[in-house]
Amino acid sequence: MTFTEIESATGGKITGKTAAIVGGGPAGLIAAEVLARAGVTVTVYDQMPSLGRKFLMAGRGGLNLTHSEEMPLFLPRYGDIDPLLRTAIEAFPPAALRAWADSMGAATFVGSSGRVFPKVLKTSPLLRTWLLRLGNLGVKVKLRHRWEGFDGDGNLRFMTNGHELSVAPDVVVLALGGASWAKLGSDGKWTDILAAQRIAMAPLQPTNCGFTAAWSEVLRGYAGQPLKRISLSFGGRSVRGEAMITRDGLEGGAVYALSSPIRDAIHQFGGTTVTIDLLPDVTLAKLSERLSAPRGKQSLSNFLRKATHLSPAALSLVREGALLKGAALSALNGKDIATLIKAVPVKLTGVQPIATAISTAGGIRFSELDEGFMLKRTPGIFAAGEMLDWEAPTGGYLLQATFATGVAAARGAIEFLRNPSS
Ligand SMILES: Cc1cc2nc3c(=O)[nH]c(=O)nc-3n(C[C@H](O)[C@H](O)[C@H](O)COP(=O)(O)OP(=O)(O)OC[C@H]3O[C@@H](n4cnc5c(N)ncnc54)[C@H](O)[C@@H]3O)c2cc1C
């Protein structure tokens, strides 16, 4: 069965019931779709002038929707995964997300790294079709409606155009996102509202983020230069990929992949050191042999450039790495330089602000949710997406958990509408 058939066939139609979805990112929109297919009258509220802004931004990098790896490899990407999240992903796994994208005319393919992308490599056509589909299902959209909490009767309170509006739907799905890229709408201010309801939350923190480093002026001059095909190591884990030198530090795929333990170490110790293997495909023995050859009249820089084919930015990093170890590069022999190139230390001093992070760690603790993703303290109110307390690296894991929890919250809301007392 396709996604559309499954969601249209789950039980009989519900009539005369309303749902408010607060937050029109992918978690809110998939919840809206599932509820509308069940016959519920759905309204999506969002504070921005248009929906899905962060989803659109994700499309700039090709829209990595999910990952093709098997569940035993996939689930550990969420670290010590909460059973609720595990169940949600198992109930709406990568294959289901791909089937959904197919149903939207956005057929997907598996890239060389196992990541899954729509063939068009962007969000805009998919989002356009989705919003049309939701409109056809009767979903109403209220833009520029900022959720501000609850009124004296416990109804949802919105501000729109300077006016207050109270809404009393039968069920609510909160899908307000994290706090990264706040200019796209998810500003994390909902934490104040939920704290007033005594809902336990882990602090919102940047993840898949960059870090600051105490660069010299020379390295700052290489801002924007990539370090390609490197292996970054921290805390016993190594990740192959790419990093980018920024004016203040390092960012990029390999850095994001280890950002969670690096962030935690910086918070605990005020700084930490990662190591970079700049030539992971060349063995130490081979590199030592190359760098121990006589260099004749060549300058050290020329010799290293020709022997290693490393970029000027990478060689600068090696020089600074040598200084960090207490020696000038010119004082080292070939074997020592090879050893350094295979493990350049980079001292990271701080975490880049959440405003520039790809995603947010922290949020509503899973212990606050029942098995239908309903907030135990506020019956009839469900939560989904990045506002829940999970984190994962880039690679499609963020959108997969976002969609899966959106579907889980909607199915929980449907069950609640069918059996309000259970
Ligand atoms: C640059 C970038 C690239 C990314 N690339 C990828 C990728 O390739 N693959 C991947 O898996 N993930 C990617 N992500 C992450 C992914 O986009 C997010 O995980 C996902 O959008 C989270 O969905 P969400 O629905 O939970 O929240 P969001 O998409 O953040 O949506 C939340 C919505 O709630 C609204 N809102 C917030 N507060 C209020 C309020 N008080 N009142 C009313 N409305 C409110 C916001 O306006 C917003 O529309 C990327 C993120 C960024 C920033």
Side-chain angles (χ1 to χ4, degrees):
M1 267 214 271
T2 64
F3 167 80
T4 322
E5 285 161 350
I6 292 169
E7 290 306 329
S8 300
T10 34
K13 288 268 182 210
I14 297 172
T15 51
K17 296 289 182 190
T18 57
I21 312 291
V22 192
L29 294 180
I30 195 71
E33 176 164 356
V34 174
L35 278 155
R37 286 192 186 283
V40 180
T41 302
V42 179
T43 307
V44 177
Y45 297 86
D46 200 289
Q47 64 178 335
M48 299 303 281
S50 61
L51 298 178
R53 291 190 170 203
K54 195 178 278 182
F55 192 36
L56 280 169
M57 175 59 85
R60 291 231 189 135
L63 190 61
N64 182 193
L65 262 184
T66 184
H67 202 286
S68 62
E69 57 197 15
E70 297 296 324
M71 277 296 145
L73 279 178
F74 191 96
L75 291 171
R77 306 291 178 192
Y78 298 89
D80 191 9
I81 189 169
D82 188 277
L84 265 184
L85 179 59
R86 167 193 286 268
T87 309
I89 293 175
E90 284 170 347
F92 191 77
L97 183 49
R98 293 185 70 181
W100 171 83
D102 263 348
S103 78
M104 207 68 72
T108 54
F109 72 98
V110 180
S112 55
S113 59
R115 296 174 180 217
V116 174
F117 301 88
K119 286 183 181 153
V120 289
L121 288 173
K122 51 186 175 180
T123 311
S124 40
L126 175 65
L127 184 60
R128 236 185 343 263
T129 309
W130 200 5
L131 295 180
L132 272 176
R133 176 192 273 188
L134 291 174
N136 290 336
L137 287 167
V139 173
K140 303 253 176 327
V141 175
K142 302 279 184 192
L143 300 172
R144 297 190 171 87
H145 279 62
R146 175 173 178 74
W147 181 52
E148 301 233 307
F150 302 93
D151 67 13
D153 298 323
N155 300 325
L156 297 178
R157 191 166 60 79
F158 291 95
M159 281 302 286
T160 179
N161 288 325
H163 297 291
E164 250 188 57
L165 174 78
S166 282
V167 179
D170 296 303
V171 287
V172 177
V173 178
L174 299 177
L176 297 147
S180 76
W181 287 70
K183 61 182 179 186
L184 300 177
S186 31
D187 54 21
K189 294 195 177 141
W190 50 265
T191 50
D192 294 340
I193 304 173
L194 297 191
Q197 303 295 316
R198 294 182 297 112
I199 289 168
M201 285 166 285
L204 302 187
Q205 301 191 66
T207 186
N208 293 305
C209 54
F211 296 93
T212 54
W215 290 152
S216 66
E217 272 312 309
V218 177
L219 258 177
R220 270 172 198 264
Y222 289 111
Q225 297 284 319
L227 300 168
K228 292 192 171 173
R229 292 182 293 281
I230 60 159
S231 172
L232 184 84
S233 298
F234 183 73
R237 278 184 62 205
S238 296
V239 172
R240 292 261 191 148
E242 193 171 313
M244 179 76 80
I245 296 178
T246 64
R247 252 196 91 64
D248 301 321
L250 269 186
E251 60 180 37
V255 180
Y256 299 156
L258 293 176
S259 62
S260 167
I262 296 173
R263 177 199 65 216
D264 292 347
I266 290 176
H267 284 160
Q268 194 175 350
F269 304 113
T272 196
T273 301
V274 298
T275 54
I276 299 180
D277 182 346
L278 291 165
L279 292 171
D281 295 320
V282 182
T283 63
L284 176 61
K286 187 96 203 142
L287 193 58
S288 293
E289 190 188 313
R290 272 197 232 160
L291 295 180
S292 300
R295 74 172 142 110
K297 290 191 177 142
Q298 294 179 90
S299 68
L300 178 60
S301 298
N302 268 347
F303 172 71
L304 288 179
R305 189 171 44 79
K306 286 185 194 157
T308 63
H309 303 291
L310 286 173
S311 67
L315 286 174
S316 247
L317 202 66
V318 177
R319 283 186 194 283
E320 298 212 0
L323 291 176
L324 207 63
K325 289 194 147 200
L329 199 59
S330 53
L332 301 182
N333 63 30
K335 182 165 179 263
D336 289 344
I337 296 178
T339 307
L340 187 59
I341 288 173
K342 297 288 292 170
V344 187
V346 178
K347 202 167 172 197
L348 300 176
T349 52
V351 185
Q352 292 285 10
I354 199 163
T356 59
I358 301 276
S359 59
T360 305
I364 300 170
R365 292 199 191 275
F366 279 98
S367 55
E368 292 288 335
L369 300 174
D370 73 4
E371 69 281 5
F373 281 69
M374 184 169 79
L375 289 164
K376 292 173 191 163
R377 288 175 207 275
T378 52
I381 301 186
F382 297 74
E386 214 179 294
M387 69 187 298
L388 301 179
D389 180 19
W390 54 268
E391 67 176 307
T394 55
Y397 308 103
L398 303 170
L399 282 171
Q400 180 65 49
T402 293
F403 273 88
T405 54
V407 170
R411 288 176 179 167
I414 290 168
E415 184 56 30
F416 178 81
L417 288 172
R418 290 213 166 102
N419 305 298
S421 53
S422 65

